[in-house]
């Protein structure tokens, strides 16, 4: 299993801690969340998405498998909380230099 890159680990840890500011800070200024085809671009939209659908519904992640595929990191995690629950796959692409998340895609 591959180790989580620092910004990806921070996004999961921040969500588990209910810390919206830390979660949003894990993304590049122009970062994107693609939640089953719905895109949220930039930190303001990402924060709004999280308030409605992630941290705002006490979402938690139990990370399972982590692997790399080219320039992407693919994470399988069990999702808990007061919203969607169950297994999900997250595909991350990091910004150049790897300091922030450029794109997070959520699939089944």
């Amino acid at each position: 299993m591959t180790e989580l890159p620092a910004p990806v680990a921070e996004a999961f840890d921040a969500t588990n801690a209910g810390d919206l500011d830390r979660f949003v800070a894990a993304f590049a200024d122009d970062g994107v969340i693609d939640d089953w085809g719905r895109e949220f671009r930039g930190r303001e939209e990402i924060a709004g998405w999280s308030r409605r659908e992630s941290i705002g519904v006490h979402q938690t992640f139990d990370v399972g498998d982590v692997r790399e595929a080219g320039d992407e990191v693919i994470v399988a995690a069990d999702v808990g909380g007061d919203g969607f629950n169950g297994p999900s796959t997250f595909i991350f692409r990091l910004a150049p230099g790897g300091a922030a998340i450029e794109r997070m895609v959520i699939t089944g």
Side-chain angles (χ1 to χ4, degrees):
M1 177 166 68
T2 301
E3 189 171 314
L4 286 174
V8 175
E10 179 67 3
F12 284 128
D13 291 346
T15 300
N16 287 343
D19 190 331
L20 180 64
D21 291 336
R22 277 181 51 210
F23 175 76
V24 172
F27 287 82
D29 289 339
D30 60 349
V32 175
I33 291 179
D34 177 334
D35 184 359
W36 289 84
R38 297 177 305 135
E39 287 197 354
F40 304 89
R41 183 173 306 276
R43 289 183 171 169
E44 186 174 322
E45 287 188 15
I46 289 170
W49 170 85
S50 185
R51 280 187 205 99
R52 289 184 307 276
E53 301 184 41
S54 183
I55 289 174
V57 294
H58 310 106
Q59 193 170 59
T60 59
F61 298 110
D62 182 14
V63 173
D65 186 52
V66 179
R67 61 186 170 89
E68 291 182 31
D71 64 349
E72 297 178 329
V73 176
I74 302 168
V75 179
D78 284 324
V79 180
D82 297 331
F84 171 84
N85 285 278
S88 283
T89 300
F90 301 83
I91 303 169
F92 293 91
R93 188 173 62 230
L94 301 180
I101 299 166
E102 185 174 81
R103 186 173 189 84
M104 178 177 92
V105 178
I106 304 168
T107 65

